[in-house]
Amino acid sequence: AEAIRLVDIAVQRNKPIVLEVLDTTLSKSAGRYRNRKQNRRISMFAYKKMQDSIHSRAAKMGVTVFAVNPAFTSQIGKMKYMKQMHISIHQAASYVIGRRGMNLKEQVPKVLQTYTERKDGEHHWKQWSMLTKAFKALRPHVFYHVSGQSYPLFNKEICNYGLTQAERDSLQKYVPKIWLEERET
């Protein structure tokens, strides 16, 4: 029923559907009540069934379905769009998936480039990987409290937003120590 509803919305709005290509076999293979093989079959069955239903209904209704790689979509959504659009991290990730379906690339904003190094010929996902490592200890809602991409003091704001000691410790490799001390004084 949900696949039918989704395709009907796409038909009404004359838009394609973008799905992320997920491989859930490893993440779902260690369930509680069955052995790994049974759990893998069950989890893949539900995902595969939903995906097949969408593809089947879309083909009948003449709707195009794109499949995209979901790499770094949550991180990109959290760092670029969550605050800007006032949406949750999950909605921001789906926004990035939709943009990826339109063949748009998500470049790292200039204020975040201080945490990364860009080498010639290197894929832009490498920068997102570096940012993920730099901000891995930060709670997602910290990104709601910074002024945004164009604000020149983005880095100081992150450091001055009531961070826990663990978050401060994880940021020490990436930001000047004076930024972390300003909040304490």
Side-chain angles (χ1 to χ4, degrees):
E2 290 301 315
I4 291 170
R5 198 171 72 121
L6 173 69
V7 174
D8 288 346
I9 291 170
V11 168
Q12 288 172 357
R13 297 187 181 174
N14 196 24
K15 303 288 182 189
I17 295 173
V18 181
L19 299 174
E20 54 186 346
V21 179
L22 295 177
D23 181 14
T24 60
T25 54
L26 293 177
S27 64
K28 304 276 181 155
S29 62
R32 289 182 167 170
Y33 303 111
R34 297 177 197 90
N35 66 36
R36 286 182 174 183
K37 193 172 184 179
Q38 286 177 319
N39 286 331
R40 185 178 326 118
R41 280 189 197 143
I42 289 170
S43 67
M44 284 306 294
F45 173 75
Y47 177 73
K48 183 78 171 141
K49 186 173 182 179
M50 178 61 84
Q51 193 177 31
D52 288 345
S53 298
I54 292 169
H55 281 284
S56 173
R57 179 72 175 176
K60 288 177 188 173
M61 301 300 288
V63 174
T64 306
V65 177
F66 296 106
V68 298
N69 187 337
F72 301 107
T73 52
S74 294
Q75 299 303 319
I76 295 168
K78 176 174 68 175
M79 292 180 208
K80 276 186 88 171
Y81 300 113
M82 197 170 75
K83 166 74 175 174
Q84 176 186 345
M85 302 177 84
H86 305 286
I87 55 179
S88 74
I89 189 170
H90 307 292
Q91 292 168 323
S94 66
Y95 183 74
V96 173
I97 289 168
R99 286 177 53 85
R100 200 168 280 175
M102 295 187 301
N103 290 325
L104 299 173
K105 292 184 180 176
E106 299 293 346
Q107 299 299 327
V108 175
K110 288 184 180 182
V111 294
L112 294 177
Q113 287 178 0
T114 58
Y115 298 99
T116 66
E117 296 174 14
R118 180 76 191 248
K119 297 176 184 160
D120 289 337
E122 195 171 65
H123 199 275
H124 64 277
W125 286 355
K126 180 68 175 171
Q127 285 184 300
W128 288 110
S129 173
M130 289 180 206
L131 285 172
T132 299
K133 289 176 189 169
F135 296 132
K136 72 180 174 189
L138 294 182
R139 294 160 287 163
H141 74 273
V142 168
F143 289 91
Y144 277 123
H145 298 282
V146 294
S147 293
Q149 304 169 20
S150 60
Y151 193 73
L153 298 176
F154 176 88
N155 303 324
K156 287 185 183 180
E157 263 194 52
I158 280 186
C159 297
N160 290 331
Y161 171 76
L163 299 178
T164 65
Q165 190 58 44
E167 291 171 329
R168 287 177 179 280
D169 293 342
S170 73
L171 278 179
Q172 279 184 341
K173 321 177 205 180
Y174 302 101
V175 299
K177 193 171 184 176
I178 192 163
W179 290 358
L180 293 169
E181 292 171 353
E182 284 178 10
R183 176 73 174 177
E184 296 167 3
T185 58

